[in-house]
Amino acid sequence: MGILSFFTKNKTKVGSAQTAKERLQIIVAHEHPGSTVTPAYLPELQNEIIEVVKKYLTISDRDVKCELTDKVDSNMSVLEVNIAMPKS
Amino acid sequence: MAKVIVVTSGKGGVGKTTTSASIGSGLAASGAKTVVIDFDIGLRNLDLIMGCERRVVFDLINVINKEANLQQALVKDKRIEGLYILPASQTRNKDALNRSGVKAVIEELKDDGFEYIICDSPAGIEQGAMMALYFADEAIVTTNPEVSSVRDSDRITGMLSSKSFRAEQQLDPVKVHLIITRYCPERVKNGEMLSIADINELLGIELLGVIPESESVLNASNSGEPVILNKDSDAGKAYQDTVERLLGVECDFRFIDYKKKGILSRIFGV
């Protein structure tokens, strides 16, 4: 806990306005036509991931979702790959 | 050169009509012939806010359908020279608006020498709102410092840059301004409300005005006098500043910092 709290800033003092801002940043970045820059390689990347997963599992193309999002409070982008697997 | 300015927001109840009435009044008081058009067909309220509800005979839809001419429908303001309102119809619905009809009305207003044509948009992103923004040269996006309002403002800003006449014809884009209404510096200071900087960062629109939360806004609508005419109220002064900026005059933003009341001002109420 001690080490953890060193890395996560003291968030207890932050008012609700900060929460509102962070939530909005995410939603606005998602919905704003100009602000979401989808890299051109993303569809191709998604296809290749599907091909790799297909080697081992039976999934359809629709079960895989790739998303690149910007983390709001740090200089970091996150590539999220969601694969819905059929129950075996 | 006449300017068509839409006052819009996406979300309802954030102060579009209050803003339209005050900006329209302020522009007219500066000497520019101004008309405020109510696009909220079926739910007209601009007439009430401007205090001319008993003088409405014909409306925008009558003009579009050629049941009355423009001069018959325009209601002249009794307080300010050169200020007119074009009321919405109360009995029809928003489908009664069509592009060619709205265009004809705006063209005729321009030919009549109106310098500012303020389009008071209804809430939402349906027909009425789209008609209100379609012919706009400039837009005033009205936002409350609150999540749903900011999100909707972002959405309507997207509409302005994709669904307007200027966007479709690939002309210069609609010039978008932001007005933040119901701003509480004290709550911002306490971290309970989105700040001007937060909203600026989120929306990325040029800030035109900040209207503080004020009792005088309700008093103004109760009595049918645009709040800008109340020279003693903070909201009225803030709207006056906003009009100045719209006219190209630079002025500092007021009423955006919280000052804790000292003991003297508590006692004497200044």
Side-chain angles (χ1 to χ4, degrees), chain A residues 9-86:
Chain A
K9 278 183 189 167
N10 189 359
K11 281 194 174 162
T12 47
K13 275 189 183 172
V14 175
S16 58
Q18 189 59 32
T19 317
K21 188 186 174 186
E22 283 166 9
R23 291 174 62 213
L24 274 168
Q25 273 173 326
I26 294 164
I27 204 81
V28 166
H30 247 264
E31 291 171 355
H32 206 280
S35 65
T36 43
V37 190
T38 316
Y41 60 75
L42 210 60
E44 205 181 327
L45 175 73
Q46 179 164 337
N47 285 335
E48 284 185 34
I49 290 173
I50 292 170
E51 289 313 310
V52 172
V53 179
K54 265 186 181 171
K55 280 187 187 172
Y56 303 92
L57 299 163
T58 40
I59 54 159
S60 86
D61 295 3
R62 276 172 302 165
D63 296 333
V64 179
K65 279 211 171 73
C66 275
E67 256 175 29
L68 194 66
T69 42
D70 288 324
K71 269 273 184 231
V72 197
D73 41 13
S74 64
N75 292 326
M76 204 165 50
S77 293
V78 176
L79 176 68
E80 248 179 284
V81 182
N82 263 311
I83 305 170
M85 285 202 299

Side-chain angles (χ1 to χ4, degrees), chain B:
Chain B
M1 183 62 193
K3 262 188 197 165
V4 181
I5 305 176
V6 62
V7 178
T8 186
S9 71
K11 189 175 180 297
V14 296
K16 284 182 296 297
T17 302
T18 300
T19 298
S20 300
S22 280
I23 300 278
S25 302
L27 288 170
S30 80
K33 194 177 175 188
T34 302
V35 59
V36 189
I37 310 176
D38 190 349
F39 274 83
D40 207 344
I41 313 300
L43 293 166
R44 82 165 167 230
N45 279 318
L46 181 70
D47 53 338
L48 268 180
I49 303 296
M50 308 254 314
C52 62
E53 69 276 9
R54 294 172 64 181
R55 292 190 290 127
V56 173
V57 184
F58 294 107
D59 57 60
L60 175 62
I61 302 301
N62 291 140
V63 179
I64 287 177
N65 293 343
K66 302 203 164 52
E67 295 150 0
N69 66 42
L70 187 60
Q71 299 312 320
Q72 289 174 299
L74 284 173
V75 182
K76 194 173 184 306
D77 189 84
K78 286 200 166 168
R79 295 163 294 234
I80 300 165
E81 183 66 30
L83 176 62
Y84 295 80
I85 93 153
L86 184 52
S89 169
Q90 186 68 328
T91 51
R92 311 292 258 279
N93 68 49
K94 291 179 171 67
D95 299 327
L97 285 171
N98 59 69
R99 227 173 243 184
S100 58
V102 173
K103 184 176 185 211
V105 170
I106 290 178
E107 291 301 326
E108 198 178 340
L109 288 165
K110 284 182 180 173
D111 291 343
D112 263 4
F114 280 97
E115 289 170 69
Y116 290 100
I117 300 165
I118 313 286
C119 303
D120 180 20
S121 172
I125 51 171
E126 282 81 43
Q127 177 83 345
M130 298 324 275
M131 284 299 116
L133 70 77
Y134 189 72
F135 294 102
D137 301 310
E138 297 189 20
I140 295 176
V141 173
T142 313
T143 304
N144 287 167
E146 178 268 330
V147 283
S148 48
S149 178
V150 173
R151 181 197 213 174
D152 292 0
S153 292
D154 187 64
R155 183 104 168 90
I156 208 78
T157 308
M159 296 284 182
L160 284 161
S161 58
S162 62
K163 300 279 165 66
S164 62
F165 177 76
R166 281 179 171 271
E168 285 184 2
Q169 302 295 316
Q170 300 185 336
L171 305 168
D172 290 340
V174 177
K175 193 174 173 193
V176 185
H177 311 275
L178 176 68
I179 289 191
I180 301 171
T181 55
R182 308 196 67 169
Y183 194 69
C184 292
E186 182 179 2
R187 303 199 73 186
V188 171
K189 191 168 182 291
N190 294 337
E192 298 171 347
M193 184 181 267
L194 290 166
S195 69
I196 297 170
D198 291 341
I199 299 170
N200 252 338
E201 195 184 313
L202 286 160
L203 294 177
I205 309 173
E206 178 248 341
L207 185 65
L208 185 70
V210 180
I211 314 301
E213 173 82 67
S214 167
E215 289 171 6
S216 55
V217 174
L218 180 58
N219 288 333
S221 62
N222 284 344
S223 52
E225 287 222 338
V227 70
I228 195 171
L229 300 178
N230 184 348
K231 309 277 187 215
D232 298 324
S233 88
D234 289 355
K237 290 178 198 167
Y239 269 120
Q240 188 58 49
D241 290 353
T242 305
V243 169
E244 301 291 336
R245 287 186 206 106
L246 201 56
L247 292 168
V249 182
E250 277 191 34
C251 46
D252 289 338
F253 286 89
R254 294 192 276 174
F255 320 112
I256 58 172
D257 294 314
Y258 175 61
K259 286 182 201 73
K260 205 167 183 215
K261 277 197 168 179
I263 186 142
L264 281 177
S265 61
R266 273 172 206 248
I267 295 168
F268 298 111
V270 280

